[in-house]
Amino acid sequence: MASSSSLSPPAVPMELHAGNRDRLVAALRSHLSASARPLRGLVLLQGGDEQTRYCTDHLELFRQESYFAYLFGVREPGFYGAVDVASGQSILFAPRLPSDYAVWMGEIKPLSYFRDTYKVDMVFYVDEIAQVLQDRFSGDGKPLLFLLHGKNTDSGNYSKPASFEGMEKFDTDSSLLHPILTECRVIKSDLELALIQYANDVSSEAHIEAMRQARPGMKEYQLESIFLHHSYIAVLHYGHAAAPNDRTLDDGDMALMDMGAEYHFYASDITCSYPINGKFSSNQIIIYNAVLKAHNAVISHMRPGVNWMDMHKLAEQTILESLQKEQILHGDVKDMMAQRLGAVFMPHGLGHLLGIDTHDPGGYPEGLERPKEPGLSSLRTTRELKEGMVITVEPGCYFIDALLTQARNDPISSRFFNWQEVEKYKTFGGVRIESDVYMAWSRGVKSQELDRRSLFLSPSAIGPIRAFSNDTSIS
Amino acid sequence: MASSSSLSPPAVPMELHAGNRDRLVAALRSHLSASARPLRGLVLLQGGDEQTRYCTDHLELFRQESYFAYLFGVREPGFYGAVDVASGQSILFAPRLPSDYAVWMGEIKPLSYFRDTYKVDMVFYVDEIAQVLQDRFSGDGKPLLFLLHGKNTDSGNYSKPASFEGMEKFDTDSSLLHPILTECRVIKSDLELALIQYANDVSSEAHIEAMRQARPGMKEYQLESIFLHHSYIAVLHYGHAAAPNDRTLDDGDMALMDMGAEYHFYASDITCSYPINGKFSSNQIIIYNAVLKAHNAVISHMRPGVNWMDMHKLAEQTILESLQKEQILHGDVKDMMAQRLGAVFMPHGLGHLLGIDTHDPGGYPEGLERPKEPGLSSLRTTRELKEGMVITVEPGCYFIDALLTQARNDPISSRFFNWQEVEKYKTFGGVRIESDVYMAWSRGVKSQELDRRSLFLSPSAIGPIRAFSNDTSIS
Ligand SMILES: [Mn+2]
Ligand SMILES: [Mn+2]
């Protein structure tokens, strides 16, 4: 929903969500078949509710729960949704709104409105869930509900299974659904891709506008405000939500802006790094080019079957080689890699799945363990790349006091550093370049256009930054 | 925190919060004295925690809990705070942050940083609460904690009393604190007023900028975005957070923008109503002037001792008189009032206390019942005005299908309406003018300047709207 954007938002086809449901049903049926279980039961999800701020009546801006958004595309709070595994039929349950709702919100929408808007097979009220599901879907014994329960591997939090009055009349399975639905979300359809594309286009445009208006003396939040003004319903990524971005960007500072817009739930996630005064210093161009080279090296090596941890290590190695070439480090890069020096300069993971959540789930499916080593332990996934994934590529190089002090105090790590050179970067901060990549590979598009992957490039990797940089070509 | 504002933000003196604590301690001591209880015990409040979105690691922007903000002014999550009733001493308890926090957030702040920043007497870690409070404040028997438990009369929600490990070693009183602390918040100090003044100044400026840029064809959210761009950390008031403001304002439409900025927790709340094309139609000027007249009538009658319900009725009566003069209604206004026709055109309350919350608590202290009659039941307070209160004055006049249909179906109400005239306002929407008023009255300021109340006027009541309007003078 760009406000000042020149881009026109694409239509939001509800077939997108119907397609998501179809893929879920197919995957569920195939899992049930494989374990010789009957091909029936109902997927039941509970959508998000409005939240007030603490004890007050201040309503927070509502955002639908992501699994629910994926299957039903419903924008309003208080809904439930069901999908019948046997028939593939979809049912929404709408909250029954009090009549005084109409005073401020206009006519209360009839159930048919939601059926037409969200293109589901049936719509009933939330207080009818038990009755409807029993009447329509009970064969022998209690009907079976597949509920969403499972861990988000980024937060460690668990999704909340649907609960409603009359639940005791059903059998429930809370283990099958989460991994299967999560895996569906990992692979994006063309309809999903179109929304991610648009979110990326808006974000790139908004980043460029922020770059254009950037001046020494501005606060970080002023650049964010320019971004927001150009993308309106946008999700901003900060280091930490509790810390307001009130850092002043002085002459000579690097701006590192990690911001992405969202369109009909689908996210973009882009980071640009540039000198606030528009001219790279010699130190800045060194680090910028080191990161850009890593960014481009990774993208040129990405293909289905490649392991993401190897891409992370490729980024680390490329950055370490640049730092060695510039005599910030000395010694053998292989030894540095063995010592995990990459994590001193890039303590975060190379990238993450992107979709309805900025950090989309599915990074660690059952059986895949998170690595323990410094740097690698921050990876949000160590999967093999697959056709249809959307993943961010966001190498960075930072000079972080806490990590440099730790390296200096370690006798083995310390000897790789030219501490006199490092000292020159004391107040440097860091550079990150983040683009979003779609693993298109063999999707049958024209080979010159999109032979291996589709790029939603960070403006820091192309475009206006070209004027600043020595080398921005994607090799 | 204005970004594009020409106004410079005032300093935020922590004496403001020390003053808030002092007033609480004095009030608690006087209540304890009156009931012959010993003048000791510890007020203990738990600050807000960061929230993630559902099961994901997406952090919502942190906003401190309002009672905690009032007493301590702390901007970070995860704190507790105590005030000793005997000595008035204040203690903060800071969360012990993991060492890897320093990687992205910079140096972990020592306890002395919080003592210096928030000007409290002592700072310890959260995991030391039980030990510290026991060691320092136990006389005979268990130390007594005053905890915050009570109902917010706008939301019906209850505040959450502090809880911590080792609580069983204390006696607790969960009834005394809430009403007393709430009453402290009702009366604003000069230091609080300065922040509210600044929030209002920023909001007025941002409203005027939105008016300047308003053009037919814009979406409501585009005007909000202009506002945000000019006030950055702003709280926006919508009809309903779940409904995105994607209404297009076409040529001939009224814009009704209810938006306020917040500065160091303190809010403003301003509504402007204006024709999107910059020229009032004859119907628009009729309703605008009716509302403005009500707005000005109320403000000229406000003084300590005046009951807010009487002000609400004065606004209703003023609006009904205008509608009768314009032959939208006919009959005796007294009879209309008896029939509660005011509530058909203004179904919300005239205004509300304003402070750290937009709807500041304290509207219905113990013993004051909410009225049951239409319109009056929406009042967020029916108190007598007191020196030091900040309250919004926001009369409105709307043509709401649901309410007009109800009136038409009521044989007694129906005969007051000239339904042919009403029909002309079918798509009118409504007008609201909202200013914030500080009950200064006898604060010793120069009588010409501020004899009765200080106004933070809605730009719709003065200023650029003057050019549009026939009568904007405050009589
Ligand atoms: Mn990212
Ligand atoms: Mn208000």
Side-chain angles (χ1 to χ4, degrees):
Chain A
M1 299 202 187
S3 71
S4 308
S5 169
S6 61
L7 304 158
S8 12
V12 175
M14 283 301 146
E15 289 72 23
L16 183 159
H17 302 287
N20 292 349
R21 290 192 296 270
D22 289 346
R23 280 186 294 281
L24 171 65
V25 167
L28 276 174
R29 291 170 67 97
S30 118
H31 275 77
L32 290 169
S33 286
S35 49
R37 292 171 62 180
L39 302 187
R40 53 192 162 82
L42 290 145
V43 170
L44 182 69
L45 259 61
Q46 180 171 358
D49 285 313
E50 281 191 302
Q51 303 292 327
T52 55
R53 184 196 279 168
Y54 305 105
C55 65
T56 72
D57 67 346
H58 176 97
L59 281 172
E60 305 290 357
L61 197 64
F62 176 70
R63 173 30 158 96
Q64 185 56 275
E65 192 281 325
S66 296
Y67 284 98
F68 196 83
Y70 176 78
L71 283 187
F72 300 103
V74 170
R75 287 177 290 262
E76 295 87 351
F79 276 68
Y80 288 69
V83 184
D84 180 22
V85 174
S87 67
Q89 282 191 309
S90 53
I91 315 161
L92 278 177
F93 298 94
R96 212 183 278 272
L97 297 173
S99 63
D100 64 357
Y101 183 92
V103 171
W104 293 116
M105 299 307 298
E107 209 193 337
I108 292 182
K109 310 246 166 65
L111 294 183
S112 60
Y113 167 85
F114 296 111
R115 201 184 53 226
D116 298 345
T117 301
Y118 296 118
K119 304 238 166 69
V120 291
D121 295 302
M122 290 165 259
V123 185
F124 300 93
Y125 286 111
V126 165
D127 52 30
E128 301 172 309
I129 295 179
Q131 197 62 51
V132 167
L133 296 186
Q134 278 209 304
D135 288 356
R136 296 190 166 245
F137 301 96
S138 56
D140 303 339
K142 294 178 175 181
L144 175 63
L145 301 180
F146 295 107
L147 304 179
L148 191 69
H149 174 72
K151 186 165 150 179
N152 180 300
T153 56
D154 290 314
S155 67
N157 298 332
Y158 285 80
S159 50
K160 180 185 156 225
S163 87
F164 62 95
E165 244 173 275
M167 245 184 116
E168 64 286 352
K169 295 168 193 151
F170 297 83
D171 283 330
T172 59
D173 178 328
S174 298
S175 60
L176 190 70
L177 180 60
H178 189 274
I180 293 176
L181 181 53
T182 300
E183 194 58 26
C184 289
R185 287 179 60 185
V186 170
I187 306 303
K188 270 69 180 178
S189 70
D190 289 346
L191 292 175
E192 292 180 281
L193 188 66
L195 304 190
I196 295 173
Q197 174 80 64
Y198 176 69
N200 269 275
D201 293 345
V202 168
S203 295
S204 292
E205 194 184 61
H207 265 295
I208 290 168
E209 189 55 34
M211 278 188 210
R212 276 208 187 100
Q213 297 190 31
R215 296 285 177 277
M218 286 176 93
K219 304 273 189 192
E220 279 187 346
Y221 67 67
Q222 291 180 284
L223 289 177
E224 289 162 12
S225 161
I226 295 165
F227 184 97
L228 256 178
H229 192 55
H230 281 260
S231 61
Y232 190 63
I233 295 188
V235 178
L236 298 183
H237 310 279
Y238 308 137
H240 207 253
N245 286 11
D246 55 4
R247 184 167 82 101
T248 303
L249 295 162
D250 290 321
D251 201 7
D253 283 349
M254 286 293 287
L256 190 162
M257 307 307 292
D258 186 353
M259 308 187 291
E262 175 179 315
Y263 181 68
H264 186 67
F265 307 121
Y266 284 87
S268 60
D269 189 14
I270 292 178
T271 307
C272 290
S273 300
Y274 46 91
I276 189 74
N277 64 11
K279 272 178 85 82
F280 282 100
S281 72
S282 57
N283 285 352
Q284 285 169 346
I285 199 69
I286 285 170
I287 305 304
Y288 175 81
N289 279 335
V291 174
L292 183 62
K293 204 169 173 184
H295 171 273
N296 295 352
V298 166
I299 287 174
S300 71
H301 282 82
M302 286 170 74
R303 54 178 57 83
V306 162
N307 186 285
W308 192 242
M309 182 143 55
D310 292 336
M311 294 294 94
H312 180 89
K313 287 178 177 168
L314 173 60
E316 286 185 331
Q317 187 188 315
T318 309
I319 289 167
L320 292 173
E321 282 166 0
S322 295
L323 297 179
Q324 186 226 43
K325 200 180 126 218
E326 298 293 343
Q327 294 169 12
I328 296 165
L329 297 175
H330 41 64
D332 190 324
V333 170
K334 261 201 203 113
D335 295 338
M336 297 178 200
M337 289 293 288
Q339 186 61 17
R340 299 258 78 253
L341 283 203
V344 176
F345 295 97
M346 178 168 76
H348 60 69
L350 174 63
H352 50 84
L353 299 169
L354 174 73
I356 290 186
D357 288 313
T358 306
H359 300 149
D360 226 27
Y364 288 100
E366 280 160 16
L368 189 60
E369 286 293 315
R370 189 181 277 267
K372 304 260 183 299
E373 300 95 315
L376 306 182
S377 64
S378 302
L379 276 162
R380 291 176 186 276
T381 183
T382 54
R383 290 180 68 147
E384 283 187 3
L385 293 173
K386 281 170 83 168
E387 197 190 315
M389 282 181 171
V390 175
I391 192 161
T392 68
V393 176
E394 48 178 309
C397 181
Y398 318 85
F399 290 80
I400 296 172
D401 271 352
L403 298 177
L404 290 169
T405 304
Q406 209 175 294
R408 195 162 194 163
N409 291 337
D410 180 292
I412 301 170
S413 295
S414 183
R415 62 185 162 88
F416 291 103
F417 288 78
N418 180 348
W419 290 109
Q420 217 173 326
E421 272 306 302
V422 171
E423 189 62 27
K424 295 179 189 162
Y425 292 83
K426 208 176 158 48
T427 61
F428 181 88
V431 166
R432 179 162 71 248
I433 300 175
E434 178 178 26
S435 296
D436 302 339
V437 176
Y438 174 56
M439 295 303 298
W441 204 263
S442 58
R443 287 244 166 169
V445 288
K446 271 192 242 128
S447 64
Q448 296 98 316
E449 270 174 22
L450 205 67
D451 61 335
R452 294 182 300 189
R453 68 258 133 188
S454 174
L455 307 175
F456 312 125
L457 271 182
S458 165
S460 263
I462 203 167
I465 283 299
R466 192 179 288 274
F468 296 144
S469 164
N470 294 327
D471 171 24
T472 61
S473 60
I474 305 286
S475 58
Chain B
M1 299 203 186
S3 74
S4 308
S5 169
S6 61
L7 304 157
S8 17
V12 175
M14 284 300 146
E15 289 71 22
L16 184 159
H17 301 286
N20 292 349
R21 291 192 295 271
D22 289 347
R23 281 185 294 281
L24 171 64
V25 167
L28 276 173
R29 291 169 67 98
S30 119
H31 275 76
L32 291 169
S33 286
S35 48
R37 291 171 63 180
L39 300 188
R40 54 191 161 82
L42 288 146
V43 169
L44 182 70
L45 257 61
Q46 180 171 358
D49 285 313
E50 281 191 303
Q51 303 293 326
T52 55
R53 183 196 279 169
Y54 306 105
C55 65
T56 73
D57 68 346
H58 177 98
L59 281 172
E60 306 289 358
L61 197 65
F62 176 71
R63 173 31 157 93
Q64 187 56 275
E65 193 280 324
S66 298
Y67 283 97
F68 196 83
Y70 177 78
L71 283 188
F72 300 104
V74 169
R75 288 176 290 261
E76 295 87 351
F79 276 67
Y80 288 68
V83 183
D84 180 24
V85 174
S87 67
Q89 281 190 311
S90 53
I91 314 161
L92 278 176
F93 298 94
R96 212 184 279 272
L97 297 174
S99 63
D100 63 359
Y101 183 92
V103 170
W104 294 116
M105 299 309 297
E107 210 192 338
I108 293 182
K109 310 246 167 66
L111 294 182
S112 60
Y113 166 86
F114 296 111
R115 199 184 54 227
D116 297 344
T117 301
Y118 296 118
K119 304 239 166 68
V120 291
D121 296 301
M122 290 164 262
V123 184
F124 300 94
Y125 286 110
V126 165
D127 52 30
E128 301 172 309
I129 294 180
Q131 198 62 52
V132 167
L133 296 186
Q134 279 209 305
D135 287 357
R136 297 190 166 242
F137 301 97
S138 56
D140 304 338
K142 294 177 175 182
L144 175 63
L145 300 180
F146 295 107
L147 303 179
L148 192 69
H149 175 71
K151 187 166 149 179
N152 180 300
T153 56
D154 289 312
S155 67
N157 297 332
Y158 286 80
S159 49
K160 180 186 155 224
S163 87
F164 62 95
E165 243 172 277
M167 245 185 117
E168 64 286 354
K169 295 168 193 151
F170 298 83
D171 284 330
T172 59
D173 177 329
S174 298
S175 59
L176 190 70
L177 181 59
H178 189 273
I180 293 176
L181 182 53
T182 299
E183 194 59 25
C184 288
R185 287 179 59 184
V186 170
I187 305 303
K188 270 69 181 178
S189 71
D190 290 347
L191 292 175
E192 292 179 282
L193 187 66
L195 303 189
I196 295 173
Q197 173 81 64
Y198 177 69
N200 268 274
D201 292 346
V202 168
S203 295
S204 291
E205 195 184 61
H207 264 295
I208 289 169
E209 189 54 34
M211 278 188 210
R212 274 206 189 103
Q213 297 191 31
R215 297 286 178 278
M218 287 175 91
K219 303 274 189 192
E220 279 187 346
Y221 67 67
Q222 291 181 282
L223 289 177
E224 290 162 11
S225 161
I226 296 165
F227 184 96
L228 257 178
H229 193 54
H230 281 260
S231 60
Y232 190 62
I233 295 188
V235 179
L236 298 182
H237 310 279
Y238 308 136
H240 206 254
N245 286 10
D246 54 5
R247 184 166 81 102
T248 303
L249 296 162
D250 290 321
D251 200 9
D253 284 348
M254 287 292 288
L256 189 161
M257 307 306 295
D258 187 353
M259 307 186 290
E262 174 179 316
Y263 181 68
H264 186 68
F265 307 121
Y266 283 87
S268 59
D269 189 14
I270 291 178
T271 307
C272 290
S273 300
Y274 47 91
I276 189 73
N277 65 10
K279 272 179 84 83
F280 282 100
S281 72
S282 58
N283 285 353
Q284 285 169 345
I285 198 69
I286 284 170
I287 305 304
Y288 175 81
N289 278 336
V291 173
L292 183 62
K293 202 168 174 186
H295 170 274
N296 295 352
V298 166
I299 288 173
S300 71
H301 282 82
M302 287 170 74
R303 52 179 58 84
V306 161
N307 186 285
W308 192 241
M309 182 143 53
D310 292 336
M311 293 294 94
H312 180 89
K313 288 179 177 166
L314 173 61
E316 286 184 330
Q317 187 189 316
T318 310
I319 289 167
L320 292 173
E321 282 166 1
S322 295
L323 296 179
Q324 186 226 42
K325 201 180 126 216
E326 298 293 341
Q327 294 168 13
I328 296 165
L329 297 175
H330 40 66
D332 190 326
V333 170
K334 260 200 205 114
D335 296 339
M336 298 179 199
M337 289 293 287
Q339 187 60 15
R340 299 262 75 250
L341 283 203
V344 175
F345 295 98
M346 179 168 77
H348 60 70
L350 174 63
H352 50 84
L353 299 170
L354 174 73
I356 290 185
D357 288 313
T358 305
H359 300 149
D360 226 26
Y364 288 100
E366 279 160 15
L368 188 61
E369 286 293 316
R370 190 181 275 268
K372 304 262 184 297
E373 299 96 316
L376 306 182
S377 64
S378 301
L379 277 163
R380 292 176 185 276
T381 183
T382 53
R383 291 179 67 148
E384 283 187 2
L385 293 174
K386 280 170 82 167
E387 197 189 314
M389 282 180 172
V390 175
I391 193 162
T392 68
V393 175
E394 48 178 309
C397 181
Y398 319 85
F399 291 80
I400 296 172
D401 272 351
L403 298 177
L404 290 169
T405 303
Q406 208 175 296
R408 194 161 193 165
N409 292 338
D410 180 292
I412 301 169
S413 294
S414 183
R415 63 186 160 86
F416 290 104
F417 288 78
N418 180 348
W419 289 109
Q420 215 173 330
E421 272 305 304
V422 171
E423 190 61 26
K424 295 179 189 164
Y425 292 84
K426 207 174 159 51
T427 62
F428 182 88
V431 165
R432 178 161 73 246
I433 300 175
E434 178 177 26
S435 297
D436 303 338
V437 176
Y438 173 57
M439 296 301 299
W441 203 264
S442 58
R443 286 241 167 170
V445 289
K446 271 191 243 130
S447 65
Q448 294 97 318
E449 271 175 21
L450 205 67
D451 61 335
R452 292 183 301 189
R453 68 260 133 185
S454 174
L455 306 176
F456 312 125
L457 269 183
S458 165
S460 262
I462 204 166
I465 283 299
R466 189 179 289 274
F468 296 143
S469 165
N470 295 327
D471 172 25
T472 60
S473 60
I474 305 286
S475 59

